[in-house]
Amino acid sequence: WPQFYWLALEEILHEAGLQTIIVGALRTKNPQRTDCFKSAMAIHSAEKPIPPETIAGILNNAACVVSSDSGLAHLAAIMGKKTVVLCGWSVGDRIYGFYPQVTCLQGCLPCNGCWSRASQGFDEDRCARGCDNLATILPKHVAEVVGKL
């Protein structure tokens, strides 16, 4: 999901009076990439690893988790947390459908689920930079779903 979408979601949730925390891994050599967020952060990096029990504690205390299709989404779901999973390259209901507390938001482009249908719109050069389908899920819609949970 584009970084500016995460920023927009953070702003919408803060305006609604919700407290947020950013959990993730820094996969860039630019640690300032996260400086634009207002939330508390638990950012894992090679230089500053975060113990797994700390991440599990953060998730355990969350009222709701918003995540792209990732290990953190699975962990939150396994822990029984209300989880909103953003899916573009994957088909969320196929992967998360057996977790009763998970809501999957799916992109709306024809390339939905390209991970299983590489011949239907997957372009390695374009898609490696970011998933256009994932970017069709708007922060306002995610916030609405979070608000209902």
Side-chain angles (χ1 to χ4, degrees):
W1 214 37
Q3 182 176 359
F4 63 92
Y5 278 20
W6 288 112
L7 285 165
L9 178 61
E10 176 190 50
E11 186 66 28
I12 294 166
L13 295 176
H14 285 184
E15 287 175 2
L18 299 173
Q19 183 180 6
T20 60
I21 182 167
I22 309 295
V23 177
L26 190 60
R27 290 185 168 82
T28 175
K29 299 203 186 291
N30 179 7
Q32 292 78 24
R33 185 168 189 255
T34 58
D35 288 351
C36 50
F37 290 97
K38 298 173 185 170
S39 302
M41 289 192 225
I43 305 295
H44 179 88
S45 68
E47 297 78 30
K48 294 175 81 175
I50 297 176
E53 58 271 17
T54 300
I55 298 298
I58 291 167
L59 294 177
N60 192 47
N61 285 290
C64 181
V65 174
V66 178
S67 176
S68 58
D69 179 3
S70 67
L72 278 178
H74 284 283
L75 181 57
I78 289 167
M79 294 174 72
K81 305 310 295 184
K82 292 176 184 174
T83 307
V84 178
V85 184
L86 311 176
C87 300
W89 57 271
S90 61
V91 179
D93 288 339
R94 279 182 169 169
I95 299 170
Y96 295 92
F98 60 92
Y99 297 119
Q101 67 287 7
V102 171
T103 301
C104 293
L105 299 181
Q106 197 70 46
C108 61
L109 296 180
C111 59
N112 244 330
C114 64
W115 64 276
S116 64
R117 301 183 316 243
S119 63
Q120 294 186 1
F122 180 75
D123 177 334
E124 191 167 344
D125 292 330
R126 178 177 43 86
C127 297
R129 292 188 303 262
C131 177
D132 291 340
N133 190 39
L134 192 59
T136 66
I137 305 168
L138 300 178
K140 182 179 179 183
H141 180 63
V142 177
E144 290 169 358
V145 171
V146 169
K148 290 176 184 174
L149 296 177

